[in-house]
Amino acid sequence: PINLRGRSLLTLKDFTPDEIKYLLDLSKDLKAKKRMGLSGELLKGKNIVLIFEKTSTRTRCAFEVAAYDEGAHVTFLTQSQMGKKESIEDTARVLGRFYDGIEFRGFKQETVETLAKYSGVPVWNGLTDEDHPTQVLADFMTVEENFDKPLSKIKFVYVGDGRNNVANALMIGAAKMGMDFVIVSPKELFPSEKLLKEMRDEAQKNNAKISISDDLNAVEGADVIYTDVWISMGEEDKIEERIKLLKPYQVNMDLIKKTNNPDVIFLHCLPSFHDTKTDMGYDVYKKYGLPEMEVTDEVFESKYSKVFDEAENRMHTIKAVMVATLVG
Ligand code: CP
Ligand code: NVA
């Protein structure tokens, strides 16, 4: 039997396929429970702190609502002494005395690792420069909801910046779950050799396949087309270079048609630049003449797009992670 009590979620590398499946199944149970209008007390008496160095809508709100639904209390911490007047190690030891669990979103993967090492309580990675494990749980849950076949029969194609946190996290998850995973990106943005090698070894154990290509024809037969922003948080100065590299890799209807699969779904972790309604979208439009970036509005709003189910599933999967690691 699987018991994740006391575990941290820093990266899915640390989890077995069975443990990931357990979290996905628990997420579905908790979603069904919420749909029936039932709240619970699975996290009653627990205190949780949410540390954010970078901005967030989904991740922060998912943790808060998930906690409240099951009776926990949360502190949202954006300004603290951590890393400035106080070391991560000392902050971790203090927070570990107050809280039952710690969520961290920020720059360095090393920070979540240090928090986990010194706090003595479960730590959850809410996104770093390198990884975004809770996102992948929501993504895979959404895939399972849309197909009658298991993840191991899914061809999952990520198009765009092949070396950002989301691309890395999806590759790790796919290698674990035995998927046919493809990254389509310009050569300059291929995943790091180190991660690729590590995940190809992992893939071999789980009958997964990981391929990398700069050729858009590699989307043929895809069940899922996934993309993410061309510039991640903290990389704003790279915009010109990224537009140049990634313009040909925009997810548009021609690309969807190239999959030759009428049942293909489109996913995106969000937020997304598919129109000029955001400050950044408007600036990009004015400066570079691009009304859309990584995905066209047409695809984003199409019947293929499951992005809001995916966003909702962030909450159910994060709830499952907290319940599994705090209660077991
Ligand atoms: N997908 C995601 O992590 O969204 P936020 O940045 O809004 O948390
Ligand atoms: N790659 C994006 C994901 C946002 C959820 C970023 O890091 O900004």
Side-chain angles (χ1 to χ4, degrees):
I2 287 169
N3 189 350
L4 300 178
R5 185 176 175 151
R7 292 270 296 275
S8 288
L9 172 50
L10 309 182
T11 170
L12 286 176
K13 284 181 197 173
D14 300 339
F15 285 69
T16 66
D18 283 342
E19 288 170 345
I20 296 169
K21 186 174 182 307
Y22 172 88
L23 287 170
L24 293 172
D25 291 345
L26 180 59
S27 307
K28 285 180 212 151
D29 291 347
L30 291 166
K31 182 172 183 174
K33 179 178 173 185
K34 173 117 182 170
R35 283 283 199 275
M36 283 192 282
L38 301 171
S39 54
E41 298 196 331
L42 292 170
L43 298 173
K44 193 174 174 201
K46 304 289 183 197
N47 290 297
I48 285 152
V49 62
L50 311 176
I51 307 173
F52 281 82
E53 285 178 353
K54 292 179 178 173
T55 53
S56 167
T57 298
R58 278 145 290 272
T59 308
R60 179 212 174 155
C61 297
F63 270 98
E64 290 209 15
V65 172
Y68 295 140
D69 274 355
E70 291 295 340
H73 294 272
V74 308
T75 303
F76 177 62
L77 199 60
T78 42
Q79 279 186 315
S80 74
Q81 316 285 24
M82 186 175 89
K84 292 175 259 196
K85 282 182 80 171
E86 191 170 51
S87 66
I88 319 276
E89 288 85 339
D90 291 355
T91 308
R93 284 180 285 183
V94 172
L95 294 177
R97 302 281 180 123
F98 290 10
Y99 291 96
D100 300 287
I102 302 172
E103 181 275 355
F104 172 81
R105 163 173 291 196
F107 295 90
K108 294 195 189 130
Q109 183 72 11
E110 204 190 323
T111 308
V112 263
E113 287 165 4
T114 307
L115 285 169
K117 186 164 170 206
Y118 287 89
S119 66
V121 298
V123 172
W124 310 296
N125 180 354
L127 179 147
T128 60
D129 289 346
E130 274 175 42
D131 211 327
H132 197 6
T134 64
Q135 179 69 49
V136 173
L137 295 173
D139 301 339
F140 287 4
M141 179 181 179
T142 312
V143 172
E144 289 188 330
E145 288 174 338
N146 279 279
F147 293 94
D148 285 331
K149 51 187 180 183
L151 292 174
S152 59
K153 295 260 161 16
I154 294 289
K155 177 167 178 176
F156 192 114
V157 183
Y158 175 97
V159 183
D161 177 2
R163 49 188 310 138
N164 74 11
N165 40 19
V166 171
N168 292 346
L170 287 168
M171 193 199 301
I172 296 165
K176 291 279 178 181
M177 301 316 282
M179 295 159 77
D180 179 0
F181 181 74
V182 185
I183 285 190
V184 178
S185 77
K187 286 203 172 70
E188 292 84 344
L189 297 172
F190 275 4
S192 86
E193 282 296 330
K194 182 168 174 282
L195 181 69
L196 195 56
K197 178 172 184 319
E198 207 182 326
M199 287 308 115
R200 280 196 164 136
D201 290 346
E202 180 68 44
Q204 224 170 19
K205 287 191 235 160
N206 306 314
N207 259 320
K209 196 175 138 200
I210 294 177
S211 342
I212 314 293
S213 174
D214 62 355
D215 180 357
L216 291 170
N217 291 313
V219 304
E220 162 85 36
D223 295 298
V224 182
I225 296 287
Y226 196 113
T227 193
D228 186 13
V229 286
W230 290 348
I231 33 170
S232 289
M233 290 181 271
E235 305 184 323
E236 287 72 12
D237 58 322
K238 295 201 163 76
I239 187 153
E240 230 154 295
E241 161 197 339
R242 290 293 169 78
I243 287 177
K244 229 182 264 154
L245 287 172
L246 286 163
K247 226 171 144 181
Y249 294 86
Q250 181 186 63
V251 176
N252 51 34
M253 273 305 171
D254 283 343
L255 189 82
I256 295 287
K257 285 194 194 109
K258 261 187 194 300
T259 65
N260 244 321
N261 178 5
D263 298 321
V264 64
I265 65 169
F266 169 72
L267 296 179
H268 188 312
C269 55
L270 308 182
S272 138
F273 300 120
H274 61 93
D275 56 35
T276 54
K277 291 175 195 153
T278 61
D279 293 347
M280 185 162 172
Y282 186 68
D283 285 352
V284 167
Y285 180 52
K286 264 200 335 204
K287 241 176 125 180
Y288 307 100
L290 275 181
E292 299 144 326
M293 289 176 78
E294 72 275 7
V295 56
T296 60
D297 200 50
E298 189 184 11
V299 170
F300 189 89
E301 300 294 351
S302 72
K303 64 175 188 204
Y304 305 108
S305 175
K306 305 294 174 194
V307 296
F308 295 107
D309 292 330
E310 179 186 11
E312 179 189 331
N313 287 339
R314 294 297 309 287
M315 200 284 284
H316 305 299
T317 45
I318 281 172
K319 192 185 280 175
V321 168
M322 287 197 288
V323 169
T325 57
L326 293 180
V327 189

